[in-house]
Amino acid sequence: HVWPKSRGNYFGNSLAGADIHHIRPTVININSTRGNLKLGYITGTKREISYLGKGIGCYYGNGYFEPSDEIKGDVARILFYMLTRYSETDSKSITVVAESMDLLLEWNELDPVDALEKQRNDVGEDIQGNRNPF
């Protein structure tokens, strides 16, 4: 889940909680390190997550998780989708899960939609009948 359940389980385990546009596959140590850290830029001490002994461009520190540049836009667009699609978020601030909306808008610009993200959106539509419009 890009919006961690521990940051407010607004979605449960069905409907939004099981929305394919909200769930991303990841390496287990990235997921466990991210845990319920807010998304944001790391200032100060920045620790890189490694996989099979190699750094992968994901960082954590000071209460934040910073995904690699290649997926920052994907993450932002997933959160835009969740905020738009589900009324459970209507009374919630994006700062529950991310540093700010400005940060997510910046990540959206930094990492435009690519072929893999388009393919995930097509498959998501085939499976559940809707698309992430972002």
Side-chain angles (χ1 to χ4, degrees):
H1 295 96
V2 175
W3 189 306
K5 289 184 176 185
S6 57
R7 286 271 168 199
N9 190 11
Y10 314 117
F11 309 120
N13 293 322
S14 60
L15 301 173
D19 190 311
I20 200 162
H21 298 298
H22 171 223
I23 300 170
R24 292 234 4 166
T26 189
V27 176
I28 195 165
N29 66 322
I30 295 172
N31 190 52
S32 62
T33 301
R34 192 279 167 103
N36 71 348
L37 296 174
K38 285 185 178 185
L39 297 164
Y41 283 120
I42 315 301
T43 57
T45 303
K46 188 174 188 173
R47 292 174 288 209
E48 185 172 16
I49 301 170
S50 63
Y51 178 66
L52 299 176
K54 181 181 176 203
I56 54 176
C58 295
Y59 300 92
Y60 66 102
N62 299 328
Y64 287 100
F65 175 83
E66 183 178 337
S68 64
D69 289 345
E70 296 82 29
I71 65 162
K72 284 179 176 164
D74 304 39
V75 168
R77 288 182 287 277
I78 289 168
L79 293 176
F80 297 157
Y81 167 80
M82 294 303 287
L83 287 166
T84 304
R85 171 74 174 88
Y86 294 102
S87 61
E88 293 89 339
T89 64
D90 286 353
S91 63
K92 307 302 176 210
S93 168
I94 194 61
T95 59
V96 169
V97 293
E99 186 178 322
S100 69
M101 182 60 79
D102 287 341
L103 170 93
L104 296 177
L105 291 168
E106 180 182 328
W107 285 3
N108 179 56
E109 290 292 319
L110 173 74
D111 172 37
V113 176
D114 59 22
L116 181 59
E117 193 174 359
K118 288 177 185 177
Q119 181 183 22
R120 278 185 51 82
N121 209 1
D122 292 342
V123 171
E125 182 178 27
D126 289 346
I127 292 171
Q128 68 184 33
N130 73 321
R131 299 180 67 78
N132 178 343
F134 299 100

